[in-house]
């Protein structure tokens, strides 16, 4: 039997979890004070996922970059490929919160979306 010690990130408590495994199967999760901790421990040991945040360049906007993120978790092993997929992407202003910047990033079934509104700059340096 294997054991993994984790700090839970499911809520602000930061419980110290002990996850007992037999092969790839979770036998027991202890140390959690809520159900989120138990679920986090199971998921982290069997199928770890993460939200990825980054930024991409904006052409013709009031600022030069827009923050972006995955709409939902992607497998942890795809994080670096996701970041590489964003390299060199340039979007044109205006950009709205929730706009899809890149569909189905690294064949994960998850889109990359904008998390900030960026207005377009017109010829007189005023936002449109």
């Amino acid at each position: 039997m294997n054991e993994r010690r984790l700090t839970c990130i499911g809520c602000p408590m930061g419980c110290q979890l002990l996850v007992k495994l037999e092969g790839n199967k979770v036998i027991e999760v202890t140390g959690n004070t809520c159900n989120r901790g138990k679920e986090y421990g199971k998921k982290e040991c069997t199928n770890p996922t993460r939200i990825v945040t980054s930024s991409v360049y904006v052409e013709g906007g009031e600022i030069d970059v827009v923050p972006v993120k995955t709409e939902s978790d992607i497998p942890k092993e795809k994080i670096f490929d996701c970041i590489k997929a964003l390299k060199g992407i340039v979007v044109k202003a205006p950009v709205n919160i929730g706009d899809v910047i890149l569909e189905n990033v690294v064949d994960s079934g998850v889109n990359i979306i904008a998390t900030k509104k960026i207005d377009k700059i017109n010829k007189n340096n005023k936002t449109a």
Side-chain angles (χ1 to χ4, degrees):
M1 185 181 304
N2 269 341
E3 292 183 347
R4 284 194 58 195
R5 295 185 182 279
L6 305 169
T7 301
C8 181
I9 59 172
C11 78
M13 294 291 291
C15 296
Q16 299 302 303
L17 305 178
L18 177 62
V19 182
K20 294 182 181 178
L21 302 132
E22 266 187 29
N24 290 333
K25 184 178 179 188
V26 175
I27 304 302
E28 181 182 28
V29 178
T30 57
N32 55 298
T33 56
C34 68
N35 280 336
R36 284 191 260 175
K38 185 175 184 177
E39 293 308 311
Y40 172 77
K42 286 180 182 178
K43 185 176 175 186
E44 186 64 14
C45 290
T46 58
N47 183 29
T49 60
R50 298 290 186 273
I51 296 285
V52 176
T53 61
S54 187
S55 59
V56 298
Y57 289 104
V58 177
E59 183 179 296
E62 60 187 341
I63 60 175
D64 294 335
V65 295
V66 61
V68 297
K69 73 176 196 83
T70 52
E71 275 184 310
S72 61
D73 298 3
I74 64 169
K76 189 176 175 182
E77 67 269 8
K78 291 189 174 196
I79 291 172
F80 291 111
D81 291 335
C82 177
I83 296 300
K84 285 179 190 174
L86 292 171
K87 186 176 181 170
I89 290 183
V90 179
V91 296
K92 293 185 184 218
V95 179
N96 292 300
I97 294 172
D99 282 357
V100 174
I101 303 302
L102 181 61
E103 291 183 349
N104 189 25
V105 66
V106 295
D107 294 322
S108 64
V110 176
N111 297 328
I112 300 289
I113 60 169
T115 61
K116 181 176 176 74
K117 179 178 169 56
I118 309 294
D119 288 323
K120 184 177 180 178
I121 296 287
N122 66 23
K123 293 178 185 177
N124 298 327
N125 284 340
K126 296 180 183 175
T127 57

mmCIF file of all heavy atoms in Angstrom, residues 93-113:
data_model
loop_
_atom_site.group_PDB
_atom_site.id
_atom_site.type_symbol
_atom_site.label_atom_id
_atom_site.label_comp_id
_atom_site.label_asym_id
_atom_site.label_seq_id
_atom_site.Cartn_x
_atom_site.Cartn_y
_atom_site.Cartn_z
ATOM 1 N N ALA A 93 -8.553 43.636 -31.039
ATOM 2 C CA ALA A 93 -9.509 44.318 -30.176
ATOM 3 C C ALA A 93 -10.742 44.676 -30.999
ATOM 4 O O ALA A 93 -10.634 44.867 -32.210
ATOM 5 C CB ALA A 93 -8.869 45.557 -29.571
ATOM 6 N N PRO A 94 -11.907 44.768 -30.406
ATOM 7 C CA PRO A 94 -12.188 44.609 -28.979
ATOM 8 C C PRO A 94 -12.274 43.135 -28.568
ATOM 9 O O PRO A 94 -12.565 42.263 -29.376
ATOM 10 C CB PRO A 94 -13.550 45.285 -28.822
ATOM 11 C CG PRO A 94 -14.228 45.067 -30.145
ATOM 12 C CD PRO A 94 -13.119 45.115 -31.173
ATOM 13 N N VAL A 95 -11.991 42.918 -27.285
ATOM 14 C CA VAL A 95 -12.093 41.592 -26.678
ATOM 15 C C VAL A 95 -13.030 41.716 -25.486
ATOM 16 O O VAL A 95 -12.922 42.662 -24.708
ATOM 17 C CB VAL A 95 -10.712 41.083 -26.202
ATOM 18 C CG1 VAL A 95 -10.829 39.723 -25.546
ATOM 19 C CG2 VAL A 95 -9.696 41.061 -27.336
ATOM 20 N N ASN A 96 -13.942 40.772 -25.363
ATOM 21 C CA ASN A 96 -14.871 40.782 -24.229
ATOM 22 C C ASN A 96 -14.598 39.603 -23.305
ATOM 23 O O ASN A 96 -14.098 38.560 -23.743
ATOM 24 C CB ASN A 96 -16.321 40.710 -24.730
ATOM 25 C CG ASN A 96 -16.705 41.979 -25.443
ATOM 26 O OD1 ASN A 96 -16.680 43.053 -24.865
ATOM 27 N ND2 ASN A 96 -17.039 41.857 -26.713
ATOM 28 N N ILE A 97 -14.953 39.764 -22.051
ATOM 29 C CA ILE A 97 -14.813 38.674 -21.089
ATOM 30 C C ILE A 97 -15.623 37.487 -21.593
ATOM 31 O O ILE A 97 -16.775 37.631 -21.986
ATOM 32 C CB ILE A 97 -15.300 39.108 -19.688
ATOM 33 C CG1 ILE A 97 -14.397 40.205 -19.130
ATOM 34 C CG2 ILE A 97 -15.349 37.911 -18.736
ATOM 35 C CD1 ILE A 97 -14.895 40.823 -17.847
ATOM 36 N N GLY A 98 -14.987 36.333 -21.602
ATOM 37 C CA GLY A 98 -15.659 35.117 -22.049
ATOM 38 C C GLY A 98 -15.471 34.797 -23.519
ATOM 39 O O GLY A 98 -15.851 33.706 -23.965
ATOM 40 N N ASP A 99 -14.892 35.726 -24.293
ATOM 41 C CA ASP A 99 -14.611 35.429 -25.703
ATOM 42 C C ASP A 99 -13.683 34.218 -25.791
ATOM 43 O O ASP A 99 -12.704 34.120 -25.036
ATOM 44 C CB ASP A 99 -13.920 36.607 -26.401
ATOM 45 C CG ASP A 99 -14.866 37.740 -26.773
ATOM 46 O OD1 ASP A 99 -16.085 37.602 -26.548
ATOM 47 O OD2 ASP A 99 -14.368 38.763 -27.286
ATOM 48 N N VAL A 100 -13.986 33.317 -26.712
ATOM 49 C CA VAL A 100 -13.126 32.146 -26.915
ATOM 50 C C VAL A 100 -11.917 32.588 -27.728
ATOM 51 O O VAL A 100 -12.037 33.108 -28.833
ATOM 52 C CB VAL A 100 -13.880 31.008 -27.624
ATOM 53 C CG1 VAL A 100 -12.936 29.861 -27.960
ATOM 54 C CG2 VAL A 100 -15.036 30.510 -26.762
ATOM 55 N N ILE A 101 -10.753 32.394 -27.157
ATOM 56 C CA ILE A 101 -9.494 32.779 -27.788
ATOM 57 C C ILE A 101 -8.915 31.608 -28.575
ATOM 58 O O ILE A 101 -8.361 31.777 -29.647
ATOM 59 C CB ILE A 101 -8.479 33.271 -26.726
ATOM 60 C CG1 ILE A 101 -9.054 34.438 -25.910
ATOM 61 C CG2 ILE A 101 -7.149 33.635 -27.366
ATOM 62 C CD1 ILE A 101 -9.466 35.655 -26.704
ATOM 63 N N LEU A 102 -9.050 30.398 -28.021
ATOM 64 C CA LEU A 102 -8.549 29.187 -28.669
ATOM 65 C C LEU A 102 -9.468 28.039 -28.296
ATOM 66 O O LEU A 102 -9.673 27.770 -27.110
ATOM 67 C CB LEU A 102 -7.116 28.902 -28.211
ATOM 68 C CG LEU A 102 -6.399 27.690 -28.788
ATOM 69 C CD1 LEU A 102 -6.272 27.804 -30.306
ATOM 70 C CD2 LEU A 102 -5.028 27.534 -28.159
ATOM 71 N N GLU A 103 -10.030 27.385 -29.306
ATOM 72 C CA GLU A 103 -10.943 26.264 -29.060
ATOM 73 C C GLU A 103 -10.173 24.972 -28.844
ATOM 74 O O GLU A 103 -9.134 24.751 -29.459
ATOM 75 C CB GLU A 103 -11.898 26.082 -30.240
ATOM 76 C CG GLU A 103 -12.902 27.195 -30.391
ATOM 77 C CD GLU A 103 -13.886 26.952 -31.528
ATOM 78 O OE1 GLU A 103 -13.679 26.024 -32.326
ATOM 79 O OE2 GLU A 103 -14.855 27.721 -31.611
ATOM 80 N N ASN A 104 -10.702 24.125 -27.969
ATOM 81 C CA ASN A 104 -10.213 22.762 -27.769
ATOM 82 C C ASN A 104 -8.685 22.718 -27.656
ATOM 83 O O ASN A 104 -8.021 21.972 -28.377
ATOM 84 C CB ASN A 104 -10.704 21.862 -28.913
ATOM 85 C CG ASN A 104 -10.426 20.405 -28.650
ATOM 86 O OD1 ASN A 104 -10.298 19.954 -27.520
ATOM 87 N ND2 ASN A 104 -10.333 19.636 -29.722
ATOM 88 N N VAL A 105 -8.146 23.480 -26.729
ATOM 89 C CA VAL A 105 -6.695 23.560 -26.572
ATOM 90 C C VAL A 105 -6.117 22.157 -26.320
ATOM 91 O O VAL A 105 -6.675 21.383 -25.539
ATOM 92 C CB VAL A 105 -6.298 24.560 -25.463
ATOM 93 C CG1 VAL A 105 -6.740 24.091 -24.077
ATOM 94 C CG2 VAL A 105 -4.814 24.850 -25.476
ATOM 95 N N VAL A 106 -5.072 21.833 -27.003
ATOM 96 C CA VAL A 106 -4.358 20.545 -26.938
ATOM 97 C C VAL A 106 -5.300 19.337 -26.878
ATOM 98 O O VAL A 106 -5.062 18.388 -26.130
ATOM 99 C CB VAL A 106 -3.299 20.509 -25.813
ATOM 100 C CG1 VAL A 106 -2.189 21.497 -26.080
ATOM 101 C CG2 VAL A 106 -3.879 20.753 -24.432
ATOM 102 N N ASP A 107 -6.349 19.389 -27.699
ATOM 103 C CA ASP A 107 -7.326 18.291 -27.783
ATOM 104 C C ASP A 107 -7.878 17.883 -26.413
ATOM 105 O O ASP A 107 -8.150 16.713 -26.169
ATOM 106 C CB ASP A 107 -6.714 17.072 -28.481
ATOM 107 C CG ASP A 107 -6.402 17.350 -29.930
ATOM 108 O OD1 ASP A 107 -7.203 18.055 -30.586
ATOM 109 O OD2 ASP A 107 -5.358 16.867 -30.419
ATOM 110 N N SER A 108 -8.069 18.877 -25.548
ATOM 111 C CA SER A 108 -8.567 18.610 -24.192
ATOM 112 C C SER A 108 -10.083 18.725 -24.108
ATOM 113 O O SER A 108 -10.674 18.362 -23.094
ATOM 114 C CB SER A 108 -7.942 19.610 -23.206
ATOM 115 O OG SER A 108 -8.362 20.932 -23.526
ATOM 116 N N GLY A 109 -10.711 19.299 -25.150
ATOM 117 C CA GLY A 109 -12.139 19.568 -25.102
ATOM 118 C C GLY A 109 -12.459 20.852 -24.357
ATOM 119 O O GLY A 109 -13.616 21.180 -24.135
ATOM 120 N N VAL A 110 -11.419 21.589 -23.974
ATOM 121 C CA VAL A 110 -11.577 22.810 -23.174
ATOM 122 C C VAL A 110 -11.103 24.007 -23.996
ATOM 123 O O VAL A 110 -10.056 23.952 -24.645
ATOM 124 C CB VAL A 110 -10.765 22.704 -21.864
ATOM 125 C CG1 VAL A 110 -10.831 23.990 -21.066
ATOM 126 C CG2 VAL A 110 -11.260 21.532 -21.025
ATOM 127 N N ASN A 111 -11.876 25.088 -23.947
ATOM 128 C CA ASN A 111 -11.521 26.325 -24.648
ATOM 129 C C ASN A 111 -10.713 27.247 -23.753
ATOM 130 O O ASN A 111 -10.859 27.231 -22.531
ATOM 131 C CB ASN A 111 -12.776 27.073 -25.098
ATOM 132 C CG ASN A 111 -13.594 26.297 -26.089
ATOM 133 O OD1 ASN A 111 -13.061 25.536 -26.891
ATOM 134 N ND2 ASN A 111 -14.898 26.473 -26.045
ATOM 135 N N ILE A 112 -9.903 28.099 -24.385
ATOM 136 C CA ILE A 112 -9.223 29.194 -23.695
ATOM 137 C C ILE A 112 -10.102 30.428 -23.881
ATOM 138 O O ILE A 112 -10.513 30.742 -25.004
ATOM 139 C CB ILE A 112 -7.832 29.470 -24.301
ATOM 140 C CG1 ILE A 112 -6.925 28.237 -24.210
ATOM 141 C CG2 ILE A 112 -7.190 30.698 -23.649
ATOM 142 C CD1 ILE A 112 -6.455 27.892 -22.826
ATOM 143 N N ILE A 113 -10.417 31.118 -22.776
ATOM 144 C CA ILE A 113 -11.285 32.296 -22.836
ATOM 145 C C ILE A 113 -10.595 33.529 -22.264
ATOM 146 O O ILE A 113 -9.701 33.418 -21.424
ATOM 147 C CB ILE A 113 -12.626 32.056 -22.102
ATOM 148 C CG1 ILE A 113 -12.393 31.736 -20.623
ATOM 149 C CG2 ILE A 113 -13.426 30.954 -22.788
ATOM 150 C CD1 ILE A 113 -13.657 31.742 -19.786
#
